[in-house]
Amino acid sequence: MIKIGQGIDVHAFHNTGEQQQYVVLAGVAIEHTHSLLAHSDGDVVLHALADALLGALALGDIGQHFPDTDAAHAGLDSRILLRYVYGKVQAAGYKLGNADITIMCERPKIAPYNQAMRDSIASDLQTAVSNISIKATTTEKLGFTGRQEGIMANAVVLLVPML
């Protein structure tokens, strides 16, 4: 039996006053005028993807597995989080069929980093890059993403039984 899951994550921008500011999206550090306010590295792409994987198997959400009240997770690299979640998927007898991810933001521009993001996720989920889709859209200057107050990501996954 196949399983389908969806995940959404949002993080607000935070101006830390650092000279070199960046955001981490899909495990890729991207120079930007602001960083993301978060307990971990704030990778909205991997957080949405992890929630989609967990949701497909009714295993809760990343907040249950990595609570932001636990100091041990402060500054956590979200690739570690994603690999942990994927271990749960595999332990349940499933593997990724494909993932379709949409990033919503006015800036930074995603296209120059798209392939590196796909490569990063494919590596962590032990799958072919062709099974990972990343798209980006603006919200035409509407809402919090349009006002450049944060970034949002949506992920949908298909899980298939391991053979």
Side-chain angles (χ1 to χ4, degrees), residues 89-120:
V89 169
Q90 293 173 312
Y94 284 86
K95 66 178 182 174
L96 183 75
N98 72 300
D100 186 22
I101 301 161
T102 304
I103 304 167
M104 288 150 270
C105 62
E106 296 293 324
R107 295 184 309 121
K109 295 299 179 193
I110 302 303
Y113 306 96
N114 187 286
Q115 190 61 51
M117 291 180 188
R118 292 175 66 217
D119 291 342
S120 174

Side-chain angles (χ1 to χ4, degrees), residues 40-107:
S40 66
D41 62 8
D43 191 328
V44 295
V45 173
L46 297 189
H47 296 176
L49 181 56
D51 270 345
L53 292 166
L54 290 167
L57 296 173
L59 297 175
D61 61 37
I62 60 171
Q64 291 172 292
H65 295 267
F66 295 90
D68 62 6
T69 55
D70 187 342
H73 305 308
L76 180 69
D77 179 338
S78 294
R79 292 184 74 188
I80 294 168
L81 179 152
L82 182 63
R83 289 182 210 127
Y84 167 86
V85 167
Y86 197 59
K88 296 264 186 207
V89 169
Q90 293 173 312
Y94 284 86
K95 66 178 182 174
L96 183 75
N98 72 300
D100 186 22
I101 301 161
T102 304
I103 304 167
M104 288 150 270
C105 62
E106 296 293 324
R107 295 184 309 121

Side-chain angles (χ1 to χ4, degrees), residues 3 9 29 35 42-43 52 66 73 111 134 145-146 151:
K3 302 280 187 168
D9 195 49
S35 58
D43 191 328
F66 295 90
H73 305 308
I134 295 183
T145 59
I151 297 179

